[in-house]
Amino acid sequence: MAKMMWDGRFQKATAADVAKMNSSLGFDQRMYAADIAGSIAHATMLAAVGVLTDTERDAIVGGLRGIQADIESGTLAFDNGAEDIHMFVEEELTARIGEPGKKLHTARSRNDQVATDLRLWMRGELATLTAMIGELTTTVIAVAEAHTSTVMPGYTHLQRAQPITFGHHLMAYAHMFVRDLARLADAGARANVSPLGAAALATTTYPIDRAMSAELLGFDAVMGNSIDAVADRDYVVEVAAALSLFMMHLSRLSEEVILWSSAEFAFVEIDDAYATGSSIMPQKKNPDVAELTRGKTSRVFGHLLGLLTMMKNLPLAYNKDLQEDKEAIFDVVDTVRLVVPAFTGMIATLDVREERMREAAAGGFTNATNLADYLVTKGVPFREAHAHSGALVHYCIEHGTVLEDLPLEVFQAESDVIEDDVYGFLDIDACVARRNIPGGPAPAAVVADIAAVRSELATLRISAGAQ
Ligand code: ARG
């Protein structure tokens, strides 16, 4: 039977099954540094307002620093049977320094403590995630830059649609990732406020200085309502949602890499270091990084829904259900941290088969819209031009050829406004180059876009780093 710190009003010890169910130390131990930082700030503030003596504060701070050092050197294990990381640290502190350790929890509750710890822990993780996703985005942009003139088919309905460039296609993802980074920065800024001092739910009778502990911990402000401070976990949901959106984007790119690396597409070859083999089929080279990214996206989505569902029926303020937030957000963060470096390496080392992309773009009548556009320049209304171009595509399919190889007589039999200059319109590079519109696929437009996204990224990473 476990001995609990709160057992003064109890006549019986906690049943072992209950202690096991109640315990979160197994997973919340990873917040030890945040918990210790929060306690140091709290003790420092308590001494400043006269609730602790300077001597007591020094003993507490020294004890806490010793605990942190011992955890980090591996000499202190999380095995004192404590219920959670907060109890673990406090019990260990009291075992080490005696009386002053018992005063640390003055004017505080585990409810504001856990909310503080989680915000601090998340702030550190967001810095790492931002750097990783920034690196991925930089890599995607670098590959795009090498392929601003690499023609490939653009798709709708997974049917060849119009010619684009590989650089243009990849830059679509760079834009998505930049928005994902902006969402993370935004969530991080909103999360960086201090719940400390809310105590259980109704603050405290001691003359605490919440602004001081907030500042010591690098928070931008103090939370304005003590009930909100301990009851809400919207900051956890926001990060899970922002990372879900990011994973959704990454999963779409994964799906494309999987398609592109198939023999049917053969647009890219994944580097040996980023592919895997089969235990039975010697010829296989599998895109496991992309597949696992797609697969793990589902579990990130699952946690988001789990968090929302866990929250939706909770009366204010704290309920123990909230302990469930941690495994969810920890796994979301761990999953993204696992996936992104491998994915970045896969993209950086991708062998792009430019000739295959060009063949696919030239073979799929992706220039049929350009033919219609050509007829429009000759005064034909677009709807009629569309019909002429469609009829010529049909002719090509019947005769096993492509538009750019049709003799002029065939064009003229369909529409007598067509002249020799049509071939210049049908050339695949010309089709792309003519779409030199901001946001478009022409090499010049993609070059301009790359510069714009790079500067957006630089601003974002600076502001994320400054938090
Ligand atoms: N382990 C708890 C959690 O993660 C800490 C807060 C416990 N508070 C309480 N009143 N039981 O939520």
Side-chain angles (χ1 to χ4, degrees), residues 24 28 84 86 110-111 114 318 320 322-323 326:
S24 55
D28 66 16
D84 55 26
H86 326 295
R110 276 185 295 158
N111 297 351
V114 72
Y318 180 84
K320 195 62 175 261
L322 291 172
Q323 180 164 286
K326 277 168 285 297

Side-chain angles (χ1 to χ4, degrees), residues 235-255:
Y235 54 103
V236 177
V237 175
E238 269 195 71
V239 169
L243 291 174
S244 291
L245 277 172
F246 165 67
M247 288 299 288
M248 179 272 286
H249 291 147
L250 202 60
S251 185
R252 292 185 79 171
L253 180 51
S254 299
E255 172 69 11

Side-chain angles (χ1 to χ4, degrees), residues 6 22-25 27-28 31 83-87 109-115 118 200 233 318-326:
W6 35 252
N22 203 29
S23 173
S24 55
L25 185 60
F27 50 87
D28 66 16
M31 300 194 304
E83 191 177 322
D84 55 26
I85 185 62
H86 326 295
M87 295 295 210
S109 154
R110 276 185 295 158
N111 297 351
D112 60 342
Q113 204 180 343
V114 72
L118 196 50
R233 293 291 184 271
Y318 180 84
N319 301 267
K320 195 62 175 261
D321 313 47
L322 291 172
Q323 180 164 286
E324 291 290 307
D325 62 357
K326 277 168 285 297

Side-chain angles (χ1 to χ4, degrees), residues 407-438:
L408 190 58
E409 313 80 75
V410 176
F411 280 118
Q412 289 176 339
E414 177 64 29
S415 168
D416 55 14
V417 302
I418 298 179
E419 293 169 84
D420 208 34
D421 57 351
V422 72
Y423 295 103
F425 263 76
L426 296 176
D427 174 74
I428 211 81
D429 288 291
C431 287
V432 175
R434 276 179 206 278
R435 290 189 161 82
N436 190 15
I437 304 289

Side-chain angles (χ1 to χ4, degrees), residues 336-368:
V336 176
R337 286 183 61 156
L338 183 69
V339 160
V340 175
F343 199 96
T344 303
M346 177 184 71
I347 294 294
T349 55
L350 217 49
D351 180 21
V352 179
R353 314 251 330 252
E354 301 174 23
E355 72 301 337
R356 280 284 310 160
M357 290 186 173
R358 175 173 288 273
E359 259 169 52
F365 304 106
T366 60
N367 51 3

Side-chain angles (χ1 to χ4, degrees), residues 45-46 48-51 107 204-210:
M45 180 279 291
L46 288 182
V49 300
V51 173
T204 177
T205 55
Y206 299 93
I208 59 168
D209 184 348
R210 293 190 62 199

